[in-house]
Amino acid sequence: MTPLTTLSAAAEPLRLVALGDSLTAGLGLEAGDAYPAKLQAALAKLGIEVTIDNAGVSGDTTDGGLARLDWSVPDGTKAVLLELGANDMLRGLDPKLARANLAAMLQRLKERKIPVLLMGMRAAPNLGADYQKAFDAIYPDLASQYGAELYPFFLDGVAGTPGLNQADGMHPTAAGADVIVARLTPVVAEFVRKLR
């Protein structure tokens, strides 16, 4: 017979932290429409019990994410869904800075033995081919270097689609968040299964 303590430990949801910017925070959306809340619900429908803390801060750059990493990812966190870099790109900051900040975050989380699913971002074409090449390479390079899982492009299926973005053309609507979550769910489900 299995002790009750073992049963409760097995049934306890894994605690994940979604660390990011306004795309994670759900700028312009109700709290329940932000991707972390919808992803948690989608995983629950698959029988995967997780608690996803929304640690998204609108306007955050990779520098801001690095500065608040330790208190945004408390002890007991089993994994991090890391989505940062879009604001660095929109401000035209040197891709080397975003790379260095993300590398520092991945290194620190690796030292804490916290696995990471790194959400890739892509540079806008108007920044030029050289910038685009340097920026877009950050995510696959770092995922390979630090042994992180990679989701190649966070806004896959949503970027540039009018009905799925708010009036600013950058932030997903609730329907856009649904598309993100539909594509992300099987990836995160597999990621969580590996954690267990």
Side-chain angles (χ1 to χ4, degrees):
M1 193 171 179
T2 310
L4 287 175
T5 51
T6 309
L7 284 172
S8 62
E12 199 171 300
L14 289 180
R15 184 177 187 183
L16 312 185
V17 171
L19 182 66
D21 49 37
S22 55
L23 297 173
T24 293
L27 183 72
L29 301 176
E30 297 290 329
D33 285 330
Y35 105 81
K38 288 191 167 188
L39 178 59
Q40 180 176 313
L43 291 168
K45 285 181 183 172
L46 298 176
I48 301 169
E49 295 299 326
V50 295
T51 300
I52 305 178
D53 295 338
N54 189 336
V57 173
S58 294
D60 227 357
T61 58
T62 55
D63 189 54
L66 176 59
R68 66 185 177 90
L69 179 70
D70 291 333
W71 58 263
S72 293
V73 182
D75 289 343
T77 299
K78 298 301 181 188
V80 169
L81 310 176
L82 180 56
E83 174 277 308
L84 280 167
N87 288 316
D88 299 63
M89 179 268 295
L90 290 171
R91 295 174 194 183
L93 301 178
D94 189 336
K96 288 176 185 170
L97 294 172
R99 181 182 286 266
N101 289 328
L102 287 166
M105 283 185 258
L106 289 166
Q107 179 61 37
R108 205 177 290 175
L109 291 167
K110 191 171 188 175
E111 287 166 0
R112 293 177 62 189
K113 295 182 171 50
I114 299 174
V116 176
L117 175 60
L118 182 61
M119 311 287 188
M121 195 51 61
R122 291 185 186 156
N126 64 336
L127 292 165
D130 289 345
Y131 190 99
Q132 197 168 17
K133 184 179 176 185
F135 185 87
D136 291 1
I138 292 170
Y139 299 89
D141 286 357
L142 291 181
S144 175
Q145 185 179 343
Y146 289 94
E149 297 287 332
L150 176 67
Y151 184 72
F153 183 37
F154 180 74
L155 293 172
D156 185 35
V158 173
T161 306
L164 299 178
N165 288 280
Q166 297 176 42
D168 62 11
M170 293 185 290
H171 293 94
T173 58
D178 285 335
V179 172
I180 290 169
V181 168
R183 294 182 181 221
L184 197 52
T185 297
V187 177
V188 178
E190 183 58 30
F191 179 59
V192 171
R193 286 189 187 108
K194 289 178 186 174
L195 296 179
R196 291 202 184 276

